[in-house]
Amino acid sequence: MGEIRFLEDHRTWVLTGTSSTYALRLDEDDVPAHVYWGPPLAAADVVELAGKTLPWWDGFNDPNEGLGELAADGGTRYWTPALQVRFADGTRALEWRYETHEITGDHLAIRCTDRHYPFRITLHYRLRGDVVERWTELAADTEAEVIRADSATWALPVFEDYRLSHVTGRWAAETQLRRVPAPHGETVFASRRGITGHHANPWVMVDDGTATERHGEVYGVALAWSGSWRLTTTRSSTGRLTVSGGFGQDGVVHRVGPGKPLTTPIAAGLYTRGGFGAASRAWHAYVLDHVLPHPGELRPVLYNSWEATGFDVTEAGQRALAERAAALGVELFVMDDGWFGARTGDHAGLGDWQVNRERFPDGLGPLVEAVHGLGMKFGIWVEPEMVNPDSDLYRAHPDWVLHHPHRRRSELRNQLVLNFARPDVAAWARGWLDRLVGEHGIDFLKWDMNRPFSEAGWPGEADQDRLWVDHTRAVYALMDRLRADHPGLRIEACSGGGGRIDLGVLARTDQVWTSDNTDALDRLRIQHGYSHVYPARAMSAWVTDNPNFVTARSVPLRFRFHVAMAGVLGVGGDIVRWPVEDVALARDLIALYKDIRPVVQHGAQYRLRPPADDGVTALQYVHGGRAVVFAYRQAAHFNAPERPLRLDGLDPAARYRDADTGRTHSGAVLLAHGLVPALPAGDFASTVVRLDRIKI
Ligand code: DGJ
């Protein structure tokens, strides 16, 4: 458990995490200023640092530059602004000062106010192990425009060098890890799309350029937000680097005034030692302990019909898939797109959420009953925020979509975005979702979102820009409401694959659809990038057919399973057509997955070898006395030497038994020397090794 203390004589707050310390103080102007973030430091030591600012020796820089706890724009503060306000009289510079603070357990609120205008700024801090959650709350008695409202500014120690780790990508190639020297000046990672995005993900890690998977100090910042966002790293010539971030985007203004406060989402910051591996494990532990709504659950093995049937959904077809899925050992059957309205392709029907009676003459009831009768839970695909112009909903409510009066309504995938910031739209969505879930006893929603915003206007509304924030908040509120009203309901977040993966959506869903790319080889890279912040417990991964739907590559079934088994296993192929030998293998591998699932879903993950075009990729999970190792070799090369995989996270004093071969190994040897996994010959070879600590 952490502790938060205020050292009154030094006007300094010290936040002591499990293995880290964070400290801030009030500067000479009574403004919160950064003091320290890093390895554990006693309060007595922290005070030695407080107040050591650079002397004001030139006329061009602020001596405190880069040290604002929330870099507010104004005065001689030229740093990347984290807070920019324009008051009603046109004044833009903020002059703020501390008023009071409260410490309530692991929560600190520092209340400040503008020196002249009735504008209040509260900085919030909450300790979650070594994660410091931060957010900003703004309130005003007279109208003010907030041009930028970051959740937090994070100042890093002055290092000799800095390096950034982040992910980039695109549809079907999300979360590609990049590690680059931190450029001087400002580097912006952002989404202006109204969704989290496939092209970037709202987190960044910073190290001094020397950290490896197993060694070194790593700082990380991640945002809990599923709309537009922005994270800026600023590196100055004086050697300092900050990370500032929050929701919003350039040009979109928030209006704050009487009865209209603004609270930013959480920005979570984490300092760790032990390399990128330890950093990721600390993020996973945070997500499991403090973010996911039902972290203790084991996620069921899922079947999803999308790649098998596309839009060709019929009751008979779904029943046949469900029967085969149950026989394989699947626990949750999910019917994807194509079950409602005129949705026989992506051109029509979105928004008309009545079951298609040509496809389901007696409604959804018989299929849901059949699936439940087979001993599986029933899940269904929905895309509540979207509408096809060719739909009864759009014909009745053309004003419900984001639009500007004299501009075209740009379609992507033949669809437009419903404005969930409108209370009538949100109420409509709640109505049909509540009925759908309640009337049919639906256990699981796959909540999709297949395009970003465009022409994001709201004619008739005085403050149109608020839709950027309020849309996301309304989606969150609806998910929260549905969960509260249907406690058994579980949700998978999806946005054309991995376009909506972030700490915000993970707080109200149970798993995320990682990517529409189910090619096992491409998945190794996607899953590698994903794993830097997000846990296997939430990573939905399906085994699909050969040749792959997206890449046209064919990969052996065992390899496809082994890759998907490193997360929340699902099956998404046309299993009715699978040959008997594939069915038998799938049944065995699903049974194996159920055995190792507690280790994979709740264990600590070690990335033993990152994906490479050549060689072996390997991952390990450890939970209690059990360890599971996955090893994958893409291509075999003649006479290539086998390198042992040095394992991690084991007890060096214990012995471990291989559950398949019965062979025993010393923990110390596995850690110091390693294990040579028995990979079969040839390309696309893979194996799963189960090691159990031997009780003495
Ligand atoms: C995008 C999702 O990522 C797919 O899995 C599938 O649900 C389609 N949408 C359906 O339209």
Side-chain angles (χ1 to χ4, degrees):
M1 265 307 284
E3 187 204 30
I4 303 180
R5 282 177 64 192
F6 181 54
L7 312 176
E8 194 149 7
D9 292 349
H10 302 275
R11 309 198 326 150
T12 297
W13 292 270
V14 182
L15 287 69
T16 309
T18 321
S19 352
S20 63
T21 301
Y22 186 98
L24 67 149
R25 69 183 179 102
L26 291 176
D27 70 10
E28 309 68 37
D29 280 340
D30 287 343
V31 171
H34 183 72
V35 173
Y36 177 77
W37 188 21
L41 209 52
D45 294 325
V46 167
V47 298
E48 276 195 29
L49 297 170
K52 285 199 173 150
T53 53
L54 297 169
W56 200 326
W57 56 268
D58 80 28
F60 291 90
N61 285 309
D62 188 296
N64 286 322
E65 81 160 12
L67 287 172
E69 269 298 284
L70 189 71
D73 193 18
T76 56
R77 295 182 296 268
Y78 306 111
W79 205 257
T80 310
L83 179 61
Q84 276 182 303
V85 182
R86 184 164 40 224
F87 296 104
D89 63 4
T91 300
R92 288 181 60 129
L94 263 169
E95 281 184 19
W96 54 313
R97 65 177 155 74
Y98 167 79
E99 289 241 298
T100 177
H101 77 270
E102 298 120 46
I103 297 172
T104 322
D106 54 14
H107 175 219
L108 162 68
I110 303 178
R111 304 198 184 279
C112 306
T113 182
D114 188 89
R115 288 179 179 272
H116 173 78
Y117 297 94
F119 188 84
R120 294 176 293 285
I121 304 160
T122 304
L123 306 186
H124 291 272
Y125 297 78
R126 192 163 54 204
L127 259 181
R128 299 289 198 207
D130 284 316
V131 169
V132 182
E133 293 183 338
R134 294 181 56 191
W135 67 99
T136 303
E137 201 187 324
L138 305 174
D141 296 336
T142 55
E143 290 273 333
E145 284 181 353
V146 175
I147 297 158
R148 185 161 177 151
D150 280 356
S151 303
T153 307
W154 305 85
L156 271 77
V158 178
F159 289 150
E160 211 171 303
D161 204 354
Y162 294 99
R163 181 170 59 170
L164 307 179
S165 300
H166 66 105
V167 287
T168 178
R170 55 195 177 278
W171 175 78
E174 299 86 341
T175 52
Q176 306 290 315
L177 183 70
R178 301 277 179 260
R179 205 152 268 160
V180 291
H184 284 264
E186 297 179 10
T187 305
V188 182
F189 304 100
S191 162
R192 299 188 186 89
R193 300 166 194 237
I195 54 169
T196 323
H198 301 78
H199 65 291
N201 197 269
W203 62 261
V204 63
M205 288 186 193
V206 186
D207 74 297
D208 68 359
T210 64
T212 63
E213 184 65 19
R214 291 185 185 222
H215 303 286
E217 297 184 303
V218 177
Y219 289 81
V221 174
L223 288 174
W225 188 244
S226 313
S228 290
W229 56 272
R230 177 176 42 199
L231 274 174
T232 308
T233 61
T234 306
R235 182 176 181 181
S236 81
S237 63
T238 57
R240 185 164 288 288
L241 183 137
T242 63
V243 182
S244 199
F247 58 9
Q249 63 197 57
D250 293 342
V252 171
V253 169
H254 315 271
R255 293 206 199 155
V256 175
K260 282 191 296 179
L262 182 71
T263 303
T264 71
I266 287 170
L270 173 65
Y271 161 81
T272 44
R273 283 177 287 187
F276 294 106
S280 297
R281 285 188 291 282
W283 279 115
H284 300 166
Y286 166 67
V287 174
L288 287 172
D289 294 345
H290 300 288
V291 179
L292 285 170
H294 299 285
E297 284 183 4
L298 285 174
R299 298 302 309 140
V301 177
L302 161 164
Y303 176 81
N304 180 292
S305 65
W306 175 242
E307 288 199 24
T309 64
F311 290 101
D312 236 344
V313 172
T314 61
E315 186 179 323
Q318 295 292 312
R319 273 177 185 263
L321 288 167
E323 276 160 25
R324 177 54 67 83
L328 291 178
V330 165
E331 298 156 312
L332 163 65
F333 180 85
V334 184
M335 175 166 67
D336 211 281
D337 200 349
W339 59 268
F340 54 92
R343 187 76 171 167
T344 53
D346 65 14
H347 59 284
L350 210 45
D352 299 338
W353 296 101
Q354 301 83 31
V355 64
N356 180 326
R357 289 278 171 173
E358 278 169 32
R359 297 177 161 202
F360 296 88
D362 300 313
L364 288 176
L367 178 65
V368 180
E369 269 171 43
V371 168
H372 284 159
L374 288 164
M376 296 183 290
K377 293 197 181 286
F378 182 82
I380 198 162
W381 179 93
V382 292
E383 193 176 5
E385 300 149 79
M386 292 292 154
V387 65
N388 285 125
D390 185 1
S391 66
D392 293 340
L393 183 77
Y394 187 71
R395 284 183 278 275
H397 299 287
D399 54 327
W400 276 14
V401 298
L402 301 181
H403 70 285
H404 292 302
H406 308 296
R407 295 287 175 251
R408 68 169 69 103
R409 299 178 181 200
S410 302
E411 292 176 26
L412 289 168
R413 207 193 189 206
N414 309 309
Q415 60 196 57
L416 297 168
V417 183
L418 290 170
N419 180 1
F420 263 47
R422 288 178 62 129
D424 49 356
V425 175
W428 160 84
R430 183 183 164 215
W432 70 259
L433 277 162
D434 185 60
R435 277 193 302 280
L436 177 71
V437 173
E439 283 172 12
H440 296 292
I442 282 173
D443 306 294
F444 180 89
L445 292 177
K446 175 177 173 183
W447 186 304
D448 207 345
M449 207 286 191
N450 277 299
R451 60 156 293 174
F453 290 11
S454 67
E455 295 92 24
W458 182 355
E461 161 63 32
D463 177 11
Q464 298 189 33
D465 276 1
R466 76 182 173 88
L467 71 86
W468 289 93
V469 166
D470 289 359
H471 179 101
T472 301
R473 290 243 155 99
V475 170
Y476 286 171
L478 181 50
M479 287 180 174
D480 292 344
R481 186 69 211 231
L482 288 169
R483 301 185 75 100
D485 292 346
H486 306 277
L489 181 69
R490 300 292 178 263
I491 304 178
E492 178 175 76
C494 173
S495 177
R500 198 182 248 169
I501 301 176
D502 56 80
L503 297 177
V505 87
L506 282 170
R508 56 256 315 160
T509 55
D510 301 279
Q511 59 195 59
V512 290
W513 180 224
T514 322
S515 177
D516 276 344
N517 186 343
T518 53
D519 174 314
L521 210 52
D522 282 8
R523 267 298 176 116
L524 284 178
R525 283 172 199 280
I526 293 169
Q527 295 180 182
H528 180 68
Y530 167 98
S531 76
H532 274 70
V533 170
Y534 308 114
R537 157 67 180 71
M539 186 182 76
S540 191
W542 310 339
V543 175
T544 57
D545 291 337
N546 276 339
N548 185 268
F549 182 65
V550 171
T551 64
R553 184 185 280 128
S554 289
V555 172
L557 187 62
R558 187 182 298 275
F559 194 99
R560 281 178 271 152
F561 260 99
H562 285 166
V563 172
M565 285 160 72
V568 176
L569 176 65
V571 178
D574 193 354
I575 46 179
V576 171
R577 292 169 188 259
W578 280 13
V580 281
E581 56 280 12
D582 283 5
V583 169
L585 181 59
R587 199 183 292 128
D588 290 351
L589 290 169
I590 289 173
L592 172 64
Y593 179 72
K594 287 178 183 168
D595 174 56
I596 62 172
R597 168 164 60 181
V599 187
V600 172
Q601 294 192 10
H602 292 165
Q605 187 193 56
Y606 298 86
R607 292 180 294 251
L608 301 181
R609 292 229 190 111
D613 292 340
D614 210 332
V616 172
T617 303
L619 278 170
Q620 183 197 346
Y621 299 81
V622 179
H623 185 54
R626 298 185 69 196
V628 173
V629 179
F630 292 93
Y632 314 96
R633 187 183 58 226
Q634 173 186 346
H637 296 284
F638 176 67
N639 228 356
E642 279 177 330
R643 273 197 295 143
L645 290 171
R646 269 182 81 173
L647 303 192
D648 211 332
L650 302 179
D651 177 357
R655 288 197 72 76
Y656 289 83
R657 176 177 288 112
D658 183 317
D660 295 293
T661 64
R663 237 188 107 190
T664 69
H665 304 268
S666 135
V669 170
L670 293 172
L671 291 167
H673 170 76
L675 172 89
V676 179
L679 282 163
D683 295 346
F684 290 116
S686 59
T687 190
V688 178
V689 182
R690 292 177 290 169
L691 297 169
D692 298 324
R693 189 169 55 203
I694 300 170
K695 292 191 187 72
I696 308 164

